[in-house]
Amino acid sequence: MESQLGVLLILALVAASWGQESCSCTTNKWALCTQDEDGTCTCTLVGSHRRVDCSTLTSKCLLMKAEMTLRKGERLHSAPGRLVGNDGIYNPDCEESGIFKARQCNQSDTCWCVNSAGVIRSEQGDQSLTCSELIRTSRIYMQLKHRRIPCTFEDHEVASALVQLFQNRYKLHPKYIAGVKYDAPFIQIRLNQNEKSDGDVDIADAAYYIKKDIENNSIFHANNKLNVSVNGKALDIENILIYYIDEKPPQFSVRHMICGVTVVVTVVTLTVIFVVTVLVVLLWQMRR
């Protein structure tokens, strides 16, 4: 029954894109749109049936829920083992506002705490696990790599092009772009958002959109591909790494740390990732 529902959702998306090109969500290909008699276009998201504001980005939590809903339908037509869930995607619980709930659980009643970007920041536990608050991801560090090109660009030229890209394509206010460094073929981008004004795009949402763009799985409507241009010349981005820095470091209870080797490895890994990320950003700042 669940698989049949997934197939029906996929067919509905295809039908919507064929039959109502004038009523579509440019910022979300996973939205189902219908046009009322008065011409009003209303779009709701697959998986959660939430109304979508197509003038801005959809929250990462709702996007992940939509993608997981569609993946369930794809399993009917996929080779065994194709959907392994190793890309950080899971079916999340979202607040009414669309943000992640601090505690996430799977169908086997295994739970964990996440930050505002939906990234795990605790050891796994059972239903008794408590996540007192949703810790905000206030800084994001991205490293992009572009394909080799015969020409060279100046640092400020690449920085200007990427600031415009984030502002125009991802609706992110330039005040949240703390810095862009270019050392061909690598581009380093630092986003800071200690406080987010009402109506502004969250840096975690913008990071998720650009990640999907570079992975050739754009969330934008069909035929809206990522094009990065510097002085009229294309810059083909082929890889991206994203590091998340929270307002508070990950915290782990001693009680859970002594429960087994797997938990200890998870704790150590998460701690190392956090420390390495902080060091990377500090080295960047020292070089400025």
Side-chain angles (χ1 to χ4, degrees):
M1 183 66 182
E2 188 177 76
S3 298
Q4 292 176 342
L5 177 60
V7 173
L8 290 174
L9 288 172
I10 294 173
L11 293 175
L13 283 172
V14 173
S17 63
W18 285 352
Q20 296 195 44
E21 285 298 326
S22 61
C23 178
S24 60
C25 189
T26 58
T27 58
N28 195 327
K29 68 180 182 181
W30 296 322
L32 295 170
C33 300
T34 57
Q35 195 164 20
D36 299 335
E37 294 181 357
D38 61 358
T40 302
C41 185
T42 302
C43 300
T44 57
L45 195 59
V46 167
S48 62
H49 306 293
R50 304 280 188 91
R51 290 192 62 170
V52 180
D53 180 0
C54 296
S55 66
T56 187
L57 304 189
T58 305
S59 72
K60 181 180 177 180
C61 187
L62 295 178
L63 290 173
M64 287 174 58
K65 181 171 285 292
E67 185 170 2
M68 285 301 296
T69 299
L70 292 172
R71 284 190 178 195
K72 290 176 182 177
E74 288 177 359
R75 286 191 179 95
L76 277 180
H77 310 286
S78 304
R82 177 183 172 189
L83 300 173
V84 296
N86 61 355
D87 53 0
I89 298 295
Y90 58 91
N91 190 5
D93 290 325
C94 309
E95 301 284 2
E96 283 299 318
S97 61
I99 65 174
F100 289 91
K101 289 188 176 181
R103 191 186 74 163
Q104 299 290 328
C105 300
N106 60 21
Q107 293 180 345
S108 63
D109 292 333
T110 298
C111 301
W112 60 93
C113 301
V114 300
N115 57 21
S116 62
V119 178
I120 185 171
R121 53 172 283 113
S122 75
E123 72 276 6
Q124 294 183 342
D126 54 24
Q127 287 283 348
S128 65
L129 178 67
T130 300
C131 305
S132 58
E133 61 177 324
L134 182 68
I135 303 300
R136 178 163 180 75
T137 297
S138 57
R139 289 185 288 173
I140 292 180
Y141 171 87
M142 292 185 286
Q143 179 169 286
L144 285 62
K145 180 183 178 183
H146 67 74
R147 297 185 187 278
R148 296 288 180 176
I149 50 179
C151 58
T152 58
F153 298 114
E154 296 293 332
D155 187 80
H156 71 275
E157 294 174 334
V158 175
S160 176
L162 287 173
V163 168
Q164 292 182 33
L165 174 72
F166 272 92
Q167 184 176 8
N168 298 333
R169 185 174 178 85
Y170 305 112
K171 320 297 182 183
L172 187 68
H173 197 287
K175 67 182 179 182
Y176 299 127
I177 303 176
V180 179
K181 289 178 64 67
Y182 179 56
D183 184 14
F186 298 101
I187 305 169
Q188 298 170 339
I189 304 173
R190 185 159 52 93
L191 306 179
N192 281 7
Q193 195 176 52
N194 293 323
E195 294 183 1
K196 184 173 76 71
S197 302
D198 291 341
D200 282 353
V201 166
D202 193 288
I203 56 174
D205 298 339
Y208 193 64
Y209 266 79
I210 191 172
K211 176 178 180 290
K212 288 294 187 180
D213 273 341
I214 294 173
E215 293 175 346
N216 294 318
N217 187 23
S218 179
I219 299 169
F220 290 99
H221 197 261
N223 300 320
N224 192 349
K225 295 183 178 181
L226 175 65
N227 292 306
V228 182
S229 177
V230 181
N231 292 337
K233 298 180 180 178
L235 200 63
D236 188 7
I237 308 296
E238 62 178 355
N239 190 28
I240 182 171
L241 293 174
I242 303 178
Y243 303 90
Y244 302 90
I245 303 178
D246 297 343
E247 292 177 341
K248 299 179 181 179
Q251 295 182 353
F252 309 96
S253 65
V254 176
R255 180 174 65 85
H256 283 94
M257 288 178 65
I258 63 177
C259 287
V261 175
T262 302
V263 172
V264 173
V265 171
T266 301
V267 170
V268 172
T269 302
L270 288 171
T271 305
V272 169
I273 290 173
F274 177 79
V275 172
V276 169
T277 303
V278 173
L279 289 176
V280 168
V281 174
L282 288 176
L283 286 173
W284 177 350
Q285 293 176 334
M286 291 173 62
R287 291 176 182 174
R288 294 185 67 182

